Amino acid sequence: MENFTPTPYTLECVATGREFEDAGWMLADPQCKETSLVRTKYARKQIDVKPADWGLYRFSDWMPVRRILKGSSAPVTYKSKGLAAHLGLENLWITFNGWYPAIGATMSTCSFKETEAYSVCGRAAADERRVLVVASAGNTARAFAKVCSDNNIRLLLSVPYDNIGALWFDQPLNPCVKLISCEKGGDYFDAIHLSDIALKSPGFYAEGGAKNVARRDGMACTVLSAVTTIGRIPDYYFQAVGSGTGAIAAWEANMRLVEDGRFGRNTMKLMVAQNAPFVPMYDAWQAASRKLLPYDDDKARRDAEIIDAKVLSNRRPPYSVTGGLFDALKATGGEVFVATNAMARKARKLFHELEGVDIYSAAGVALASLVNAVNAGKIEKDATVMLNVTGGGEEHFKEGKELWYLKPSHVFPLEPDENDVVEKVEALFN
Ligand SMILES: *Cc1c(COP(=O)(O)O)cnc(C)c1O
């Protein structure tokens, strides 16, 4: 890893095609009048995959990172036997993100949020003085906490109090990672609200979500893992979506791989799934609408409470934005599916029995959709299928371990006094 040199890249506005230099942490083209994602354009058109001990950074040719951080793991892709035989598929490939050392999967926070965390934090300058702020309901917070703790990067997490049980680790965290919460009853959106207040202090900066190219290009590593293992671009890509960021990233990776030229010119169909009854993107896609349909706030909260896969309950996904999920589905001939809790639970059990490890509800939603699509005759039996298991192995990881939980430094009311929040979060890092 000594010989790491960052790959040169430029940014490109998807709406206008304007190409410009990344002045550092740019999340949009300042000259673009509409809302549009920006994308990276890497100087290196053919990816040179680095040795396994580089962890996730084996794909750093196509990551906008300035440096390599300690402790990362790459997704692991393997050809399924058990599940493949059960489904009658000849070329089912599983990309596993999580903890399953028997196959070489060692993401200790157990989800593909680790891919984005290592990429985003590697994009930040080593001498960045400000504190990174991340709001999350769980998996994202755990991933960022690990990366920042292991690499001495200052991080402020904002997580709803009801979700802080998601912040388990196998060892105490470095005190450069701090947590604040909104009081009981608050949800992900209240946590975002709280983090926005903290961001009013000049000492803090926002991670940026889907708009951050490092987040998407980190998640794209799932597809880079699959394609460099399989040797070709798959026909179908199955993933459960909350924001859709991972699926947008998959499409972007596909376009780069086509340009690479060694893996075929295929466009894989994005087969994305939501957990019923929380299905805003499914509803919009069925209505052929770029805009999300109106979704009553109270109903959305109730629906979010019902579903098993809470990570899929994003109410403001980057679906409509230029270069977002609507465009990705259109460009790839994709489809949106729904799976109920019952279907997802059955799928999780099936995965455990046939592939040997526990998976998260979200991954169960993706697998349930694959099962349904196969049963509906939508998948040819010789098609090359990539199943993105976005998270798993939490039960396996926790076996026999004593866990340590990150506790909030402060718990704020849902409508907190802004000055109080700013004062308190500033004091945490002084
Ligand atoms: C976040 C998450 C998803 C959804 O990913 P998006 O990029 O938000 O669509 C799926 N599965 C797991 C395990 C996740 O943590």
Side-chain angles (χ1 to χ4, degrees):
M1 275 176 274
E2 302 80 59
N3 42 18
F4 171 74
T5 40
T7 342
Y9 66 90
T10 53
L11 295 176
E12 182 183 46
C13 174
V14 180
T16 64
R18 191 179 87 90
E19 225 178 296
F20 55 101
E21 293 300 318
D22 184 7
W25 218 258
M26 294 178 86
L27 301 174
D29 177 0
Q31 293 186 16
C32 182
K33 300 277 184 288
E34 30 180 325
T35 54
S36 168
L37 295 181
V38 294
R39 277 184 202 143
T40 40
K41 283 188 80 167
Y42 293 101
R44 191 163 295 164
K45 297 300 173 200
Q46 290 204 324
I47 188 166
D48 172 26
V49 180
K50 306 296 185 288
D53 66 350
W54 286 50
L56 184 70
Y57 300 100
R58 49 190 325 207
F59 303 113
S60 56
D61 275 1
W62 290 356
M63 293 167 76
V65 292
R66 304 177 199 222
R67 61 189 182 124
I68 280 186
L69 302 173
K70 284 187 293 189
S72 73
S73 309
V76 172
T77 302
Y78 67 97
K79 192 168 187 191
S80 165
K81 293 198 187 79
L83 198 54
H86 178 84
L87 294 172
L89 293 175
E90 290 165 5
N91 294 295
L92 172 62
W93 295 79
I94 292 170
T95 299
F96 190 88
N97 298 270
W99 184 258
Y100 194 9
I103 62 161
T106 53
M107 290 182 188
S108 63
T109 68
C110 298
S111 86
F112 81 154
K113 296 300 193 302
E114 254 186 51
T115 63
E116 65 179 71
Y118 277 98
S119 180
V120 164
C121 294
R123 185 185 182 194
D127 60 359
E128 174 64 63
R129 298 297 307 146
R130 296 169 304 164
V131 177
L132 181 65
V133 178
V134 172
S136 153
N139 291 351
T140 302
R142 200 165 58 251
F144 274 90
K146 173 191 151 68
V147 179
C148 291
S149 175
D150 289 354
N151 292 280
N152 217 15
I153 296 168
R154 297 191 305 163
L155 172 71
L156 178 67
L157 293 173
S158 176
V159 175
Y161 193 82
D162 296 332
N163 297 69
I164 61 171
L167 294 170
W168 48 262
F169 302 91
D170 64 343
Q171 56 189 45
L173 294 187
N174 180 330
C176 65
V177 175
K178 302 285 188 201
L179 169 65
I180 55 172
S181 285
C182 42
E183 66 184 342
K184 268 195 168 57
D187 69 2
Y188 176 49
F189 286 88
D190 301 304
I192 291 177
H193 178 61
L194 182 61
S195 70
D196 284 340
I197 297 172
L199 284 163
K200 294 194 174 182
S201 164
F204 295 81
Y205 72 113
E207 185 261 334
K211 287 184 279 189
N212 191 331
V213 288
R215 182 180 265 229
R216 305 205 308 280
D217 292 357
M219 292 175 135
C221 293
T222 56
V223 173
L224 302 182
S225 160
V227 171
T228 56
T229 304
I230 303 169
R232 58 160 289 189
I233 299 164
D235 299 310
Y236 298 98
Y237 170 89
F238 279 84
Q239 194 213 304
V241 291
S243 65
T245 312
I248 298 165
W251 170 46
E252 292 171 337
N254 190 155
M255 290 190 278
R256 284 189 192 112
L257 288 160
V258 167
E259 250 194 280
D260 180 304
R262 292 172 295 172
F263 306 101
R265 323 207 88 252
N266 205 29
T267 299
M268 57 182 188
K269 291 187 161 60
L270 297 183
M271 311 295 264
V272 302
Q274 295 202 284
N275 193 177
F278 193 99
V279 295
M281 293 192 270
Y282 172 81
D283 287 339
W285 183 249
Q286 290 307 306
S289 168
R290 173 183 285 274
K291 273 173 72 178
L292 292 173
L293 310 182
Y295 194 7
D296 176 71
D297 226 46
D298 289 331
K299 172 136 178 34
R301 278 181 198 257
R302 275 200 308 279
D303 290 347
E305 265 172 46
I306 294 169
I307 63 173
D308 281 353
K310 303 289 185 221
V311 291
L312 305 183
S313 63
N314 193 308
R315 276 189 266 155
R316 261 173 266 140
Y319 174 84
S320 320
V321 62
T322 303
L325 191 65
F326 179 83
D327 286 335
L329 290 167
K330 270 260 179 288
T332 65
E335 279 191 60
V336 187
F337 300 96
V338 299
T340 61
N341 285 346
M343 290 171 184
R345 286 174 198 171
K346 212 168 140 189
R348 292 172 82 185
K349 199 159 159 267
L350 193 66
F351 193 93
H352 204 165
E353 280 164 18
L354 300 175
E355 299 293 339
V357 74
D358 60 290
I359 57 173
Y360 281 135
S361 300
V365 166
L367 175 54
S369 300
L370 172 60
V371 171
N372 292 343
V374 168
N375 289 343
K378 288 188 173 189
I379 313 292
E380 314 76 49
K381 74 195 232 325
D382 61 348
T384 299
V385 177
M386 170 183 170
L387 173 64
N388 191 346
V389 173
T390 47
E394 177 177 327
E395 287 167 25
H396 187 36
F397 178 78
K398 287 178 168 176
E399 276 160 25
K401 288 198 178 71
E402 210 172 312
L403 298 175
W404 182 90
Y405 289 85
L406 178 64
K407 293 277 160 36
S409 300
H410 298 286
V411 179
F412 293 100
L414 294 186
E415 283 303 332
D417 179 76
E418 299 202 350
N419 293 327
D420 183 49
V421 173
V422 168
E423 237 170 67
K424 285 194 167 125
V425 296
E426 284 180 343
L428 286 177
F429 293 93
N430 281 334

